Structures are given as C-alpha cells and as structure tokens.
Amino acid sequence: MISGYFVVGQGIGWLGAQLQWSIRLQDWLIGLWAWSIAQLAWLIGLQHWLIGLWAWLIAQLAWLIAQLAWLIGLQHWLIAQLTWLIGLQAWLIAQLAWSIGLQDWLIAQLSRLIGLQNWLIAQLTWLIGMQDWLIAQLARSIGP
C-alpha cells in the first residue's frame, strides 16, 4: 500500500510538476504576448513619430513656399513701383516737352510781334520820309 501511495504521490508530484511547467509556460507566453504588444505599441509610436516628422517637414516646405510666394509678390510690387516711376518719368518728360513747345510757340509769337513792330516802324519811317519830301516839295514851290 505504501508503494501505491508512493506511485500516487509520484503521479501527483509529476502532475504538479507538469502543472507548474504549464503555468510557467503560460506565464512565459503571456510575457511574450505582452512583449509583442509592447513592441507593437513601440512600432505604432514610431509610426506616429514618423508621421509627425513628415507633417513637420511638409509644414516647413509649406512655410518655405509661402516665403517664396511672398518674395515673388514683393518682386512684383517692386516691378510695379518701378513701372509707375518710369511712367511718372515719361509723364514729366512729356510735360517738359509740352512746356518747351509752349515756350517755342511764345517765342514765335514774340518774334511775330517784333516783326510787326519792325514793319510798323518801317511804315512810320516811310511816312516820315514822305512827309519830309512833301515839305521839301512845298518849300521848293514857295521859293527861295
């Protein structure tokens, strides 16, 4: 009977060892599963970090494009200002040309008036000469 208890005891011991080994295997498998989940979480975190980095890089690129657009806009504004200044310069040159033309016209009118004055002086001189001649003719007719 002792041997029967011994065999049963050994059987129970073996079953206990199997149960203990099974529990350890289950603990190891749960640990492996937890480690796998942790690795998966780390990979998801890495993926999120990479997505964040990608978004940050896209934001930087967008900012650079915005700066480039601003510089292009500034260049267009400066070109517009330069064009306006060239137009103003052309307008001022046109005003100067107009004033020179007006000055030439006024000089021409003054020359015409001087010419008319000279003609009138010539007519007056002729009339004075005619008057002198008539006086001379009258004096000759009166005698010495």
Side-chain angles (χ1 to χ4, degrees):
M1 208 53 189
I2 290 186
S3 66
Y5 288 119
F6 179 74
V7 171
V8 171
Q10 274 189 340
I12 291 175
W14 182 83
L15 284 175
Q18 294 303 313
L19 183 61
Q20 188 178 14
W21 182 84
S22 172
I23 291 172
R24 284 186 185 160
L25 178 62
Q26 186 179 16
D27 287 347
W28 183 83
L29 288 174
I30 290 172
L32 179 63
W33 181 68
W35 181 83
S36 298
I37 290 174
Q39 296 305 309
L40 183 61
W42 183 84
L43 287 174
I44 290 170
L46 178 62
Q47 185 181 22
H48 287 174
W49 183 83
L50 289 173
I51 289 170
L53 178 63
W54 182 250
W56 181 81
L57 289 173
I58 289 172
Q60 297 306 309
L61 181 61
W63 183 82
L64 288 174
I65 289 170
Q67 297 307 308
L68 181 61
W70 182 83
L71 287 174
I72 289 170
L74 177 62
Q75 185 181 20
H76 287 175
W77 182 81
L78 289 173
I79 288 170
Q81 298 308 306
L82 182 61
T83 304
W84 183 83
L85 286 174
I86 290 170
L88 178 62
Q89 186 180 19
W91 182 80
L92 289 173
I93 289 170
Q95 298 307 306
L96 181 62
W98 181 83
S99 67
I100 289 171
L102 178 62
Q103 186 179 15
D104 288 347
W105 182 81
L106 289 173
I107 289 171
Q109 299 308 310
L110 184 60
S111 295
R112 222 173 99 207
L113 287 175
I114 290 171
L116 179 60
Q117 184 181 14
N118 287 342
W119 181 80
L120 289 173
I121 290 171
Q123 298 306 312
L124 186 59
T125 303
W126 182 80
L127 285 175
I128 291 172
M130 186 58 81
Q131 187 181 10
D132 286 347
W133 182 77
L134 287 173
I135 291 173
Q137 293 303 320
L138 186 62
R140 215 188 285 162
S141 70
I142 294 180

